[in-house]
Amino acid sequence: MTRALVTGAGPVAGAVDPGGPVPAVAREVAEVIAGECGLPFLPEPAGGDPRATALGRTFALLSEIDAGLAGEPHGGRWAIGGQRSGVAGVSQLVRTTRRMLRDDLDVLAEACAGDPSRSFLIRLTGPITFAATVVDRRGRTLLADPVARADIATALTEALLLGVTLAASTVAGRGGIVLLLDESALAGVLTGQARASALTVADPISPERLIALLEPAVRAVAGAAATDKVVLDVGATAGALAVGLAANPGGMLLPVDRAHTVALDALTCALDAGVHVLGTVLTTAADVRDPGLIATRVRRSMRTVGLPDESVPERVWLADDPSVPPALAVVQSLTCLRAAADRLSAIGEPVLAPGS
């Protein structure tokens, strides 16, 4: 029986170990991830240190490529070109961000040492979302400058390759690294609604130009020996989804437990394109009491878009929705998702009525 994979797609609650000079992922959380997830992931603390977010980790990798591309939180946002100091030519914040990334990977590797055959997932920030959310030292978005966004796209490709290689060498999973590339700002960039600050106005950018920024990075990382596949998070709107699929990823992050038209249309496009679906669900306290409710919602969505029950475990992974703050501790949410995945793998089980 093929088992539906459980993984993570964003911040999780209770992930940080406060002990030690540099906060790191709690070993207990890493052990839960190793035990419950068919696709173990590098967790990000919810509401915690910005250095342990996808963007902070991406900056850590960029600073390895070029110290001048180091970044730091500035006025509530990340700014590129942080102050340099010390013999390494980068700030203390940059050095600790690098160290945190390595420490977190080490903790995950130790927890998953019993099964080196699995793939592992890490989440980093893609070139479009990076340019849309990062400012220079004067508060100007990188997105509005065609030269700056092209330069960042080139540097980010190298940084993403470095991240995949670093993760693979640390966790030593023979299955390779799944890179979840955060491009959640893409829809706003298409419509000109993505602004890094109240003083910045960004004109809409054509799909063709966005594909030219995104596709080389996806292609380069997907072709790396350490990579299993690249999964894109671009949202479920039609325009953003079209740009994402044009970059030829191996998977798309999409909601799988919602019955509204936008979500179902997006699922149909992704499945028709032949990519994996990293399916996000809104896990609630009611779902913890009865994980079959999640399986019911997912099955209904999949049947609506024409995916047979027996194909769900092969085509769909499960993760908590990263677009909302986590409502449950990571132990609760992953245990719940694992139980729901087991239900989805039980082919032939009837769809339940809510509460039954």
Side-chain angles (χ1 to χ4, degrees):
M1 177 178 68
T2 301
R3 186 183 297 276
L5 290 185
V6 172
T7 188
V12 296
V16 176
D17 182 356
V22 178
V25 170
R27 281 172 169 76
E28 294 82 359
V29 170
E31 289 169 0
V32 170
I33 289 172
E36 299 294 342
C37 295
L39 180 61
F41 65 99
L42 185 64
E44 303 168 40
D49 197 313
R51 296 170 296 180
T53 63
L55 184 57
R57 288 166 173 164
T58 303
F59 262 121
L61 295 164
L62 267 176
S63 68
E64 296 274 14
I65 301 298
D66 183 345
L69 297 177
E72 59 187 36
H74 179 71
R77 294 187 179 273
W78 278 87
I80 201 164
Q83 297 295 322
R84 302 184 188 186
S85 62
V87 295
V90 294
S91 67
Q92 178 65 24
L93 183 142
V94 172
R95 290 196 293 273
T96 56
T97 303
R98 292 175 179 175
R99 180 180 170 189
M100 286 175 64
L101 175 57
R102 285 170 169 76
D103 287 350
D104 292 346
L105 285 169
D106 285 339
V107 171
L108 180 63
E110 182 179 340
C112 296
D115 186 2
S117 63
R118 289 186 291 187
S119 297
F120 294 82
L121 182 143
I122 61 173
R123 188 172 82 117
L124 297 170
T125 304
I128 298 168
T129 297
F130 190 97
T133 56
V134 172
V135 298
D136 61 22
R137 297 298 294 179
R138 285 182 278 183
R140 299 175 302 185
T141 178
L142 304 178
L143 183 68
D145 184 343
V147 175
R149 65 180 185 241
D151 288 346
I152 284 296
T154 299
L156 264 181
T157 298
E158 295 184 53
L160 296 174
L161 285 168
L162 176 61
V164 168
T165 303
L166 174 63
S169 65
T170 305
V171 298
R174 292 194 297 272
I177 301 300
V178 175
L179 175 63
L180 174 56
L181 202 57
D182 177 13
E183 285 292 11
S184 53
L186 199 157
V189 173
L190 274 170
T191 58
Q193 296 176 345
R195 297 185 179 186
S197 73
L199 301 177
T200 299
V201 177
D203 293 329
I205 300 177
S206 70
E208 294 76 18
R209 290 184 177 178
L210 294 178
I211 293 169
L213 289 174
L214 181 60
E215 192 274 336
V218 172
R219 174 165 30 89
V221 177
T227 305
D228 181 329
K229 59 174 55 68
V230 178
V231 178
L232 290 180
D233 173 12
V234 301
T237 62
L241 191 66
V243 170
L245 289 173
N248 296 314
M252 300 295 291
L253 184 82
L254 293 168
V256 291
D257 65 340
R258 269 140 281 187
H260 57 75
T261 302
V262 172
L264 295 175
D265 287 348
L267 279 174
T268 300
C269 289
L271 293 169
D272 287 349
V275 302
H276 276 79
V277 172
L278 204 173
T280 64
V281 299
L282 292 170
T283 307
T284 67
D287 296 323
V288 173
R289 293 190 295 269
D290 183 4
L293 296 174
I294 293 177
T296 295
R297 298 196 301 270
V298 173
R299 273 211 183 100
R300 283 176 173 164
S301 294
M302 294 300 103
R303 289 178 179 179
T304 300
V305 300
L307 187 68
D309 288 355
E310 60 269 20
S311 298
V312 172
E314 298 175 354
R315 300 291 305 277
V316 179
W317 306 332
L318 294 182
D320 274 324
D321 192 330
S323 66
V324 297
L328 304 170
V330 62
V331 175
Q332 287 182 302
S333 64
L334 289 181
T335 301
C336 179
L337 286 174
R338 172 68 178 271
D342 288 343
R343 297 283 188 95
L344 290 170
S345 298
I347 307 303
E349 182 177 312
V351 173
L352 304 176
S356 62

PDB file of all heavy atoms in Angstrom, residues 194-212:
ATOM      1  N   ALA A 194       2.086  44.057  -5.102  1.00  0.00           N
ATOM      2  CA  ALA A 194       3.160  43.689  -4.168  1.00  0.00           C
ATOM      3  C   ALA A 194       4.008  44.912  -3.858  1.00  0.00           C
ATOM      4  O   ALA A 194       4.636  45.479  -4.749  1.00  0.00           O
ATOM      5  CB  ALA A 194       4.031  42.583  -4.782  1.00  0.00           C
ATOM      6  N   ARG A 195       4.015  45.326  -2.606  1.00  0.00           N
ATOM      7  CA  ARG A 195       4.774  46.509  -2.192  1.00  0.00           C
ATOM      8  C   ARG A 195       5.628  46.169  -0.978  1.00  0.00           C
ATOM      9  O   ARG A 195       5.128  45.624   0.003  1.00  0.00           O
ATOM     10  CB  ARG A 195       3.838  47.664  -1.834  1.00  0.00           C
ATOM     11  CG  ARG A 195       3.003  48.153  -3.005  1.00  0.00           C
ATOM     12  CD  ARG A 195       2.194  49.373  -2.614  1.00  0.00           C
ATOM     13  NE  ARG A 195       1.412  49.882  -3.731  1.00  0.00           N
ATOM     14  CZ  ARG A 195       0.707  51.004  -3.695  1.00  0.00           C
ATOM     15  NH1 ARG A 195       0.697  51.719  -2.585  1.00  0.00           N
ATOM     16  NH2 ARG A 195       0.029  51.412  -4.741  1.00  0.00           N
ATOM     17  N   ALA A 196       6.893  46.500  -1.050  1.00  0.00           N
ATOM     18  CA  ALA A 196       7.776  46.261   0.081  1.00  0.00           C
ATOM     19  C   ALA A 196       7.627  47.335   1.145  1.00  0.00           C
ATOM     20  O   ALA A 196       8.005  47.143   2.292  1.00  0.00           O
ATOM     21  CB  ALA A 196       9.227  46.177  -0.377  1.00  0.00           C
ATOM     22  N   SER A 197       7.078  48.485   0.802  1.00  0.00           N
ATOM     23  CA  SER A 197       6.843  49.542   1.775  1.00  0.00           C
ATOM     24  C   SER A 197       5.721  50.436   1.270  1.00  0.00           C
ATOM     25  O   SER A 197       5.347  50.400   0.093  1.00  0.00           O
ATOM     26  CB  SER A 197       8.106  50.378   1.995  1.00  0.00           C
ATOM     27  OG  SER A 197       8.354  51.216   0.885  1.00  0.00           O
ATOM     28  N   ALA A 198       5.179  51.257   2.176  1.00  0.00           N
ATOM     29  CA  ALA A 198       4.083  52.155   1.794  1.00  0.00           C
ATOM     30  C   ALA A 198       4.545  53.209   0.800  1.00  0.00           C
ATOM     31  O   ALA A 198       3.727  53.805   0.095  1.00  0.00           O
ATOM     32  CB  ALA A 198       3.514  52.823   3.047  1.00  0.00           C
ATOM     33  N   LEU A 199       5.844  53.452   0.732  1.00  0.00           N
ATOM     34  CA  LEU A 199       6.381  54.476  -0.164  1.00  0.00           C
ATOM     35  C   LEU A 199       6.761  53.913  -1.533  1.00  0.00           C
ATOM     36  O   LEU A 199       7.179  54.659  -2.412  1.00  0.00           O
ATOM     37  CB  LEU A 199       7.612  55.129   0.483  1.00  0.00           C
ATOM     38  CG  LEU A 199       7.369  55.797   1.840  1.00  0.00           C
ATOM     39  CD1 LEU A 199       8.677  56.345   2.393  1.00  0.00           C
ATOM     40  CD2 LEU A 199       6.323  56.895   1.724  1.00  0.00           C
ATOM     41  N   THR A 200       6.627  52.598  -1.688  1.00  0.00           N
ATOM     42  CA  THR A 200       7.054  51.959  -2.924  1.00  0.00           C
ATOM     43  C   THR A 200       5.848  51.566  -3.761  1.00  0.00           C
ATOM     44  O   THR A 200       4.925  50.940  -3.256  1.00  0.00           O
ATOM     45  CB  THR A 200       7.899  50.702  -2.628  1.00  0.00           C
ATOM     46  OG1 THR A 200       9.047  51.102  -1.916  1.00  0.00           O
ATOM     47  CG2 THR A 200       8.304  50.012  -3.912  1.00  0.00           C
ATOM     48  N   VAL A 201       5.846  51.947  -5.012  1.00  0.00           N
ATOM     49  CA  VAL A 201       4.801  51.548  -5.947  1.00  0.00           C
ATOM     50  C   VAL A 201       5.443  50.702  -7.034  1.00  0.00           C
ATOM     51  O   VAL A 201       6.422  51.116  -7.664  1.00  0.00           O
ATOM     52  CB  VAL A 201       4.104  52.779  -6.576  1.00  0.00           C
ATOM     53  CG1 VAL A 201       3.071  52.319  -7.599  1.00  0.00           C
ATOM     54  CG2 VAL A 201       3.444  53.629  -5.504  1.00  0.00           C
ATOM     55  N   ALA A 202       4.917  49.506  -7.226  1.00  0.00           N
ATOM     56  CA  ALA A 202       5.473  48.593  -8.226  1.00  0.00           C
ATOM     57  C   ALA A 202       4.450  48.372  -9.335  1.00  0.00           C
ATOM     58  O   ALA A 202       3.297  48.020  -9.072  1.00  0.00           O
ATOM     59  CB  ALA A 202       5.849  47.263  -7.582  1.00  0.00           C
ATOM     60  N   ASP A 203       4.849  48.615 -10.557  1.00  0.00           N
ATOM     61  CA  ASP A 203       3.964  48.341 -11.681  1.00  0.00           C
ATOM     62  C   ASP A 203       3.834  46.835 -11.878  1.00  0.00           C
ATOM     63  O   ASP A 203       4.716  46.058 -11.503  1.00  0.00           O
ATOM     64  CB  ASP A 203       4.541  48.962 -12.960  1.00  0.00           C
ATOM     65  CG  ASP A 203       4.538  50.481 -12.919  1.00  0.00           C
ATOM     66  OD1 ASP A 203       3.624  51.036 -12.269  1.00  0.00           O
ATOM     67  OD2 ASP A 203       5.444  51.090 -13.512  1.00  0.00           O
ATOM     68  N   PRO A 204       2.725  46.390 -12.480  1.00  0.00           N
ATOM     69  CA  PRO A 204       2.600  44.966 -12.793  1.00  0.00           C
ATOM     70  C   PRO A 204       3.742  44.512 -13.692  1.00  0.00           C
ATOM     71  O   PRO A 204       4.229  45.270 -14.539  1.00  0.00           O
ATOM     72  CB  PRO A 204       1.252  44.888 -13.515  1.00  0.00           C
ATOM     73  CG  PRO A 204       0.496  46.098 -13.073  1.00  0.00           C
ATOM     74  CD  PRO A 204       1.535  47.168 -12.872  1.00  0.00           C
ATOM     75  N   ILE A 205       4.177  43.295 -13.505  1.00  0.00           N
ATOM     76  CA  ILE A 205       5.233  42.704 -14.322  1.00  0.00           C
ATOM     77  C   ILE A 205       4.617  41.577 -15.137  1.00  0.00           C
ATOM     78  O   ILE A 205       3.834  40.773 -14.612  1.00  0.00           O
ATOM     79  CB  ILE A 205       6.394  42.194 -13.452  1.00  0.00           C
ATOM     80  CG1 ILE A 205       6.992  43.351 -12.652  1.00  0.00           C
ATOM     81  CG2 ILE A 205       7.470  41.529 -14.305  1.00  0.00           C
ATOM     82  CD1 ILE A 205       8.091  42.932 -11.705  1.00  0.00           C
ATOM     83  N   SER A 206       4.956  41.512 -16.403  1.00  0.00           N
ATOM     84  CA  SER A 206       4.320  40.547 -17.305  1.00  0.00           C
ATOM     85  C   SER A 206       4.678  39.115 -16.930  1.00  0.00           C
ATOM     86  O   SER A 206       5.753  38.850 -16.364  1.00  0.00           O
ATOM     87  CB  SER A 206       4.763  40.809 -18.745  1.00  0.00           C
ATOM     88  OG  SER A 206       6.129  40.457 -18.920  1.00  0.00           O
ATOM     89  N   PRO A 207       3.800  38.172 -17.240  1.00  0.00           N
ATOM     90  CA  PRO A 207       4.103  36.762 -16.967  1.00  0.00           C
ATOM     91  C   PRO A 207       5.399  36.313 -17.624  1.00  0.00           C
ATOM     92  O   PRO A 207       6.151  35.535 -17.031  1.00  0.00           O
ATOM     93  CB  PRO A 207       2.888  36.027 -17.549  1.00  0.00           C
ATOM     94  CG  PRO A 207       1.777  37.024 -17.509  1.00  0.00           C
ATOM     95  CD  PRO A 207       2.430  38.350 -17.772  1.00  0.00           C
ATOM     96  N   GLU A 208       5.651  36.796 -18.837  1.00  0.00           N
ATOM     97  CA  GLU A 208       6.865  36.364 -19.542  1.00  0.00           C
ATOM     98  C   GLU A 208       8.124  36.755 -18.781  1.00  0.00           C
ATOM     99  O   GLU A 208       9.087  35.974 -18.677  1.00  0.00           O
ATOM    100  CB  GLU A 208       6.888  36.961 -20.946  1.00  0.00           C
ATOM    101  CG  GLU A 208       5.798  36.455 -21.883  1.00  0.00           C
ATOM    102  CD  GLU A 208       4.431  37.051 -21.595  1.00  0.00           C
ATOM    103  OE1 GLU A 208       4.370  38.108 -20.910  1.00  0.00           O
ATOM    104  OE2 GLU A 208       3.423  36.464 -22.043  1.00  0.00           O
ATOM    105  N   ARG A 209       8.151  37.958 -18.237  1.00  0.00           N
ATOM    106  CA  ARG A 209       9.321  38.399 -17.486  1.00  0.00           C
ATOM    107  C   ARG A 209       9.464  37.636 -16.177  1.00  0.00           C
ATOM    108  O   ARG A 209      10.581  37.339 -15.739  1.00  0.00           O
ATOM    109  CB  ARG A 209       9.242  39.900 -17.227  1.00  0.00           C
ATOM    110  CG  ARG A 209       9.421  40.741 -18.479  1.00  0.00           C
ATOM    111  CD  ARG A 209       9.433  42.224 -18.162  1.00  0.00           C
ATOM    112  NE  ARG A 209       9.669  43.019 -19.364  1.00  0.00           N
ATOM    113  CZ  ARG A 209       9.700  44.344 -19.396  1.00  0.00           C
ATOM    114  NH1 ARG A 209       9.500  45.028 -18.260  1.00  0.00           N
ATOM    115  NH2 ARG A 209       9.916  44.993 -20.519  1.00  0.00           N
ATOM    116  N   LEU A 210       8.352  37.321 -15.551  1.00  0.00           N
ATOM    117  CA  LEU A 210       8.411  36.571 -14.309  1.00  0.00           C
ATOM    118  C   LEU A 210       8.880  35.137 -14.551  1.00  0.00           C
ATOM    119  O   LEU A 210       9.659  34.591 -13.759  1.00  0.00           O
ATOM    120  CB  LEU A 210       7.046  36.581 -13.622  1.00  0.00           C
ATOM    121  CG  LEU A 210       6.568  37.954 -13.132  1.00  0.00           C
ATOM    122  CD1 LEU A 210       5.185  37.857 -12.522  1.00  0.00           C
ATOM    123  CD2 LEU A 210       7.557  38.544 -12.134  1.00  0.00           C
ATOM    124  N   ILE A 211       8.417  34.546 -15.622  1.00  0.00           N
ATOM    125  CA  ILE A 211       8.889  33.198 -15.969  1.00  0.00           C
ATOM    126  C   ILE A 211      10.392  33.216 -16.221  1.00  0.00           C
ATOM    127  O   ILE A 211      11.129  32.311 -15.808  1.00  0.00           O
ATOM    128  CB  ILE A 211       8.133  32.664 -17.203  1.00  0.00           C
ATOM    129  CG1 ILE A 211       6.656  32.439 -16.860  1.00  0.00           C
ATOM    130  CG2 ILE A 211       8.758  31.362 -17.722  1.00  0.00           C
ATOM    131  CD1 ILE A 211       5.781  32.171 -18.076  1.00  0.00           C
ATOM    132  N   ALA A 212      10.878  34.277 -16.889  1.00  0.00           N
ATOM    133  CA  ALA A 212      12.308  34.391 -17.164  1.00  0.00           C
ATOM    134  C   ALA A 212      13.122  34.528 -15.883  1.00  0.00           C
ATOM    135  O   ALA A 212      14.299  34.144 -15.846  1.00  0.00           O
ATOM    136  CB  ALA A 212      12.564  35.598 -18.074  1.00  0.00           C
TER     137      ALA A 212
END
